[in-house]
Amino acid sequence: MRLLEFGCVLVVVSALLISGDAEIYIVTVEGEPIISYTGGISGFEATAVESDDKIDTESELVTSYARHLEKKHDMLLGLLFEEGTYQKLYSYRHLINGFAVHISPEQAETLRRAPGVKSVERDWKVRKHTTHTPQFLGLPTGVWPTGGGFDRAGEDIVIGFVDSGIYPHHPSFATHNAEPYGPVPKYRGKCEADPDTKRSYCNGKIVGAQHFAQAAIAAGAFNPIIDFASPLDGDGHGSHTASIAAGNNGIPVRMHGHEFGRASGMAPRARIAVYKALYRLFGGYIADVVAAIDQAVYDGVDILSLSVGPNSPPAATRTTFLNPFDATLLGAVKAGVFVAQAAGNGGPFPKTMVSYSPWIASVAAAIDDRRYKNHLMLGNGKILAGIGLSPSTHLNETYTLVAANDVLLDSSVMRYSPTDCQRPELLNKNLIKGNILLCGYSFNFVVGTASIKKVSETAKALGAVGFVLCVENVSPGTKFDPVPVGLPGILITDASYSKELINYYNITTPRDWTGRVKRFEGTGKIGDGLMPILHKSAPQVALFSARGPNIKDFSFQEADLLKPDILAPGSLIWAAWCPNGTDEPNYVGEGFAMISGTSMSAPHIAGIAALIKQKHPHWSPAAIKSALMTTSTTLDRAGNPLLAQQTSESEALKLVKATPFDYGSGHVDPTAALDPGLIFDAGYEDYLGFLCTTPGIDIHEIRNYTHTPCNTTMGKPSNLNTPSITISHLVRTQVVTRTVTNVAEEETYVITARMEPAVAIEVNPPAMTIKAGASRQFSVTLTVRSVRGTYSFGEVLMKGNRGHKVRIPVLANGYRR
């Protein structure tokens, strides 16, 4: 039965009002969504698209079938429940067939038992995974010239951002200094207007701007005063990610009178489509995010950038690959949309990925080659290292050191944490003026109730020439980023250096018998921290970047699929900011921010994917992902193996040799990705085969989300044609096959393989000639030599006689049985 025919078998459930314990549920029902409906219902012709084709939004077939599905959703709810006892929030019609509804748990049970209802899942929350990089990645010299220069890089490619909105007035999105943007006929998205000024949020570069908050409103989390019932960015995060991927080229990054360089997006001529579904205080709800993705694909975006993900694996579903979020993204990929998603910020611990599915490009975060360092020179000649994006004090002068807790106006102010230096009215200006103010870095800075920006403002208000923040106790995992300030300032992050400073200060500060200071005799001067130091050891995997192995269910069983897929810059990234953004307390009121997270790495890949799509407009999402992965590098700029930040037993930071569980296939190389030689292609049917062959997945659950029965010859999930090979439970010998397609001229490839000693590897054939546009298959045989309880890592390398190099990682964990 394609669609439920509602009749007298349904019982109307009466209630007077929406229950006080009501929650949001995402419901899927029988019947194919627009993207996969092949016909069969009288009066409605097929709307299904071929793999990698876009939905024809202008087709009357599509719009009439969409109305039909929505009418069915409304009819189901109307027959089951009395009006006023429920609130439908969204109808999902394009990528999945279902709706989001605000109902009581008892009503949810009624829905579960209703004929034609496939799944009822309680909504869950998501969160954000929070200018130098174009040069670091080689874009201005290696990639942009091939696309006609920066003023053509990404032309007519539309990148959709499901994020916290956009600040449309930022110069990174301005059009007045650019060649006029023409229309994009393939894109049909709407542009909301500012509720106050009635001005559109679109300007030619921004081609779509919509917001989704029905679930947030129903949950009581939405505050229109601070969250804005519009696409306006009330956070900063959305503007930041959009400008990383598609911001204008050469925008000066100015703060506190200093220019920190010029910012540019990866694809500066690409168009931006905004789908706001994240908010500053609570993150977002899957029901809103799914609605945003559903609309973005229907509108015709080419690329989706998702710096968002679940807080943990979805507990309501048995598998990580099948839930409303991942199923919607599978539909997006079927419609030809490339999806880049942040891997998550749960590193450096294993199995912390929150981006799981093979149809998504899951992006890990790297530290690039910039480091900002500074130093404090004491009067005794000692030099203490720290960080601080600030100017120096006068080079030939030293200044008296004055600690905040020695210049309190009143001892009763201790309850305000005065040593944080957040409130100038608590401190004695007469004792601070012309001196360096010493402050303490407390837990308030970690949780965001205190900021380095505010320390600088306090010091300036009191007439200090500079400030020093001392970290005396380091909580495990605490991450210190340099913050740009206009006043000389430094953060001493090493507790031992802070102790040296405190000892020096105490020795040089005589006190009377009550402990009151007689004289301040300690001196020091602050160095210049404005200029970055460039390191050849870059890139490195960032400490916070989520790690594999990938998991296939809530029990954390490992999947036969490598995640993350690829590594991209995600640490200390300069990009656009929203002046009213509060996501980062150190950048409140600023036009730019330098922040870190896999939230920053995902839009790097989205922007580079736009460049590939521009050059190869007919490539599938899998082909684009393959090009990115097979051409990536596992070496740093000095030619050494990539390193990953890790914590030691003492919680100190250390560097270890990185593995594919840290970086996936490697660090992105945009220039090579434009000309990969071979691609590993895959489509919707292949992803269904992966699901159907993954042990532990209920075939009924697969059908619930895909409307397709399992009928595959794939054999094992490791045979999915991905540009990586992962076998989580290798017993004796297993043969894996892969198919490559030549996207260049005819070329002969020599195929070699290597593996760590515990697993033997063999490839067949050892060489093959592939004509342009042709496909060839090869096999990889893996055999357990010894059981060591951990994964063995290796690779298959294909070298072409025309210079192409195609590399895929191989991972296997050997067992006796």
Side-chain angles (χ1 to χ4, degrees):
M1 186 168 62
R2 289 192 171 277
L3 279 175
L4 176 65
E5 297 301 327
F6 303 105
C8 60
V9 294
L10 299 181
V11 179
V12 176
V13 178
S14 298
L16 295 175
L17 296 167
I18 296 177
S19 169
D21 62 349
E23 297 187 80
I24 299 160
Y25 293 86
I26 298 174
V27 182
T28 59
V29 296
E30 279 193 4
E32 288 92 340
I34 287 168
I35 198 162
S36 56
Y37 171 57
T38 55
I41 299 173
S42 178
F44 299 98
E45 294 184 34
T47 59
V49 300
E50 295 296 321
S51 192
D52 306 326
D53 282 350
K54 292 195 181 304
I55 298 169
D56 183 0
T57 57
E58 293 187 312
S59 164
E60 175 58 27
L61 299 177
V62 168
T63 54
S64 64
Y65 185 63
R67 287 193 297 267
H68 170 74
L69 292 181
E70 185 160 7
K71 185 178 177 182
K72 289 292 186 182
H73 301 161
D74 295 339
M75 190 185 302
L76 171 61
L77 289 167
L79 287 169
L80 281 174
F81 309 123
E82 196 164 302
E83 189 175 348
T85 67
Y86 67 91
Q87 180 190 8
K88 191 190 78 170
L89 307 176
Y90 299 105
S91 271
Y92 305 127
R93 302 158 299 171
H94 308 126
L95 307 179
I96 59 173
N97 179 20
F99 52 87
V101 64
H102 193 221
I103 51 176
S104 70
E106 293 76 19
Q107 289 172 303
E109 279 305 312
T110 301
L111 262 176
R112 282 192 182 94
R113 293 192 297 268
V117 172
K118 292 193 161 190
S119 67
V120 178
E121 292 185 28
R122 192 172 62 185
D123 194 9
W124 67 96
K125 291 179 79 171
V126 292
R127 62 183 173 191
K128 299 158 285 184
H129 295 307
T130 332
T131 50
H132 168 81
T133 44
Q135 284 76 20
F136 177 69
L137 293 171
L139 290 169
T141 56
V143 177
W144 289 350
T146 67
F150 71 83
D151 54 347
R152 286 286 177 270
E155 185 78 73
D156 291 339
I157 303 298
V158 180
I159 306 177
F161 297 89
V162 178
D163 215 299
S164 66
I166 198 163
Y167 183 65
H169 314 297
H170 196 281
S172 288
F173 314 123
T175 57
H176 50 266
N177 289 328
E179 186 177 325
Y181 286 93
V184 188
K186 66 186 177 184
Y187 180 76
R188 297 289 177 180
K190 293 185 295 188
C191 285
E192 292 181 25
D194 186 304
D196 298 321
T197 66
K198 309 305 180 188
R199 287 176 57 189
S200 170
Y201 282 94
C202 296
N203 61 2
K205 180 170 185 63
I206 302 171
V207 292
Q210 302 171 59
H211 83 287
F212 301 80
Q214 292 303 313
I217 292 168
F222 186 84
N223 181 344
I225 296 172
I226 61 172
D227 292 318
F228 305 122
S230 75
L232 182 65
D233 189 357
D235 179 284
H237 189 271
S239 302
H240 201 271
T241 56
S243 67
I244 289 171
N248 290 330
N249 179 62
I251 305 302
V253 180
R254 293 195 185 98
M255 286 182 71
H256 310 297
H258 182 76
E259 185 174 307
F260 289 95
R262 291 178 178 261
S264 172
M266 300 294 100
R269 189 69 179 175
R271 311 298 180 95
I272 294 168
V274 177
Y275 298 86
K276 177 178 172 180
L278 300 183
Y279 298 89
R280 64 167 73 172
L281 295 179
F282 57 87
Y285 290 84
I286 281 289
D288 289 330
V289 171
V290 167
I293 296 168
D294 191 62
Q295 188 64 49
V297 176
Y298 181 77
D299 289 343
V301 301
D302 298 295
I303 313 286
L304 264 178
S305 180
L306 300 176
S307 292
V308 56
N311 297 347
S312 62
T317 54
R318 284 185 288 275
T319 170
T320 52
F321 311 126
L322 283 176
N323 57 71
F325 180 70
D326 285 78
T328 301
L329 292 176
L330 176 57
V333 170
K334 185 180 183 185
V337 177
F338 175 89
V339 181
Q341 185 188 12
N345 292 347
F349 308 106
K351 297 188 181 182
T352 47
M353 295 288 305
V354 292
S355 176
Y356 313 102
S357 296
W359 45 89
I360 300 167
S362 307
V363 190
I367 296 170
D368 66 14
D369 59 350
R370 271 178 314 142
R371 308 284 193 279
Y372 288 98
K373 295 186 177 179
N374 205 341
H375 65 273
L376 170 70
M377 179 177 282
L378 301 178
N380 62 4
K382 282 273 183 73
I383 295 176
L384 305 180
I387 57 175
L389 261 172
S390 80
S392 65
T393 51
H394 289 297
L395 292 178
N396 298 321
E397 293 186 39
T398 58
Y399 298 88
T400 301
L401 304 177
V402 176
N405 57 356
D406 285 328
V407 290
L408 304 180
L409 286 173
D410 187 336
S411 60
S412 66
V413 303
M414 287 305 293
R415 65 181 182 275
Y416 298 116
S417 302
T419 57
D420 287 357
C421 298
Q422 301 294 292
R423 302 176 64 167
E425 68 273 16
L426 305 181
L427 306 176
N428 189 328
K429 183 173 183 178
N430 294 328
L431 295 175
I432 295 171
K433 189 174 183 180
N435 298 323
I436 292 176
L437 178 63
L438 305 185
C439 308
Y441 190 94
S442 71
F443 187 67
N444 294 332
F445 288 88
V446 179
V447 298
T449 55
S451 70
I452 296 173
K453 176 186 175 73
K454 191 64 180 174
V455 175
S456 176
E457 291 171 353
T458 296
K460 186 175 181 180
L462 295 171
V465 297
F467 67 88
V468 180
L469 260 174
C470 298
V471 178
E472 295 182 67
N473 296 297
V474 181
S475 302
T478 301
K479 181 170 156 291
F480 301 103
D481 284 345
V483 175
V485 290
L487 198 70
I490 186 170
L491 173 64
I492 307 293
T493 59
D494 189 315
S496 65
Y497 290 160
S498 292
K499 188 175 181 181
E500 277 193 56
L501 170 58
I502 292 165
N503 289 341
Y504 169 74
Y505 177 79
N506 287 335
I507 290 169
T508 58
T509 307
R511 302 172 186 270
D512 63 21
W513 65 274
T514 66
R516 186 175 296 163
V517 173
K518 291 181 180 179
R519 296 179 307 281
F520 296 101
E521 295 180 350
T523 60
K525 59 182 178 179
I526 298 170
D528 185 346
L530 292 173
M531 295 303 294
I533 301 166
L534 302 183
H535 281 249
K536 282 192 174 180
S537 60
Q540 295 169 355
V541 181
L543 181 70
F544 58 80
S545 185
R547 309 297 211 262
N550 192 20
I551 57 173
K552 63 182 181 182
D553 57 32
F554 194 60
S555 302
F556 287 81
Q557 291 189 67
E558 292 165 20
D560 288 342
L561 177 73
L562 176 62
K563 291 287 175 175
D565 292 304
I566 197 159
L567 184 68
S571 180
L572 305 182
I573 304 299
W574 277 114
W577 199 244
C578 181
N580 56 357
T582 58
D583 190 43
E584 292 286 337
N586 287 312
Y587 295 97
V588 173
E590 303 293 353
F592 291 91
M594 182 177 63
I595 56 178
S596 303
T598 53
S599 275
M600 284 65 251
S601 52
H604 276 92
I605 292 299
I608 296 165
L611 300 176
I612 298 173
K613 183 80 174 175
Q614 181 188 16
K615 184 174 180 182
H616 306 284
H618 302 297
W619 278 14
S620 69
I624 295 172
K625 180 179 168 183
S626 172
L628 290 163
M629 290 178 67
T630 61
T631 59
S632 62
T633 179
T634 57
L635 302 176
D636 65 21
R637 297 188 74 175
N640 299 315
L642 289 176
L643 298 175
Q645 291 186 337
Q646 187 58 262
T647 49
S648 63
E649 291 180 5
S650 64
E651 302 295 347
L653 188 70
K654 66 177 182 179
L655 291 171
V656 299
K657 185 180 178 182
T659 75
F661 288 142
D662 302 314
Y663 55 64
S665 59
H667 191 275
V668 64
D669 180 345
T671 305
L674 286 176
D675 181 23
L678 302 175
I679 57 167
F680 294 74
D681 211 351
Y684 185 73
E685 297 298 326
D686 301 295
Y687 297 130
L688 290 182
F690 170 83
L691 294 172
C692 291
T693 55
T694 296
I697 298 186
D698 186 337
I699 60 170
H700 299 294
E701 196 177 358
I702 296 172
R703 187 160 189 165
N704 282 351
Y705 281 105
T706 65
H707 308 276
T708 308
C710 278
N711 182 20
T712 180
T713 58
M714 188 174 288
K716 292 180 179 291
S718 53
N719 283 327
L720 176 66
N721 202 44
T722 58
S724 63
I725 295 172
T726 302
I727 302 177
S728 61
H729 196 101
L730 176 65
V731 178
R732 293 188 290 276
T733 296
Q734 186 171 326
V735 180
V736 177
T737 59
R738 288 292 184 269
T739 300
V740 290
T741 302
N742 188 359
V743 291
E745 296 179 19
E746 181 177 315
E747 194 163 3
T748 298
Y749 284 86
V750 174
I751 311 175
T752 57
R754 62 182 180 85
M755 201 80 185
E756 290 177 342
V759 174
I761 187 169
E762 184 182 336
V763 290
N764 188 49
M768 56 187 180
T769 299
I770 315 177
K771 293 182 178 179
S775 298
R776 289 284 303 272
Q777 191 177 84
F778 67 93
S779 65
V780 179
T781 304
L782 297 167
T783 303
V784 178
R785 280 179 171 160
S786 61
V787 176
R788 60 180 196 173
T790 58
Y791 279 83
S792 296
F793 302 106
E795 66 178 22
V796 171
L797 181 62
M798 309 176 75
K799 283 189 175 182
N801 64 335
R802 290 182 175 272
H804 290 109
K805 288 183 182 179
V806 179
R807 182 186 52 81
I808 66 169
V810 181
L811 304 82
N813 195 353
Y815 289 81
R816 287 191 174 86
R817 57 184 178 85

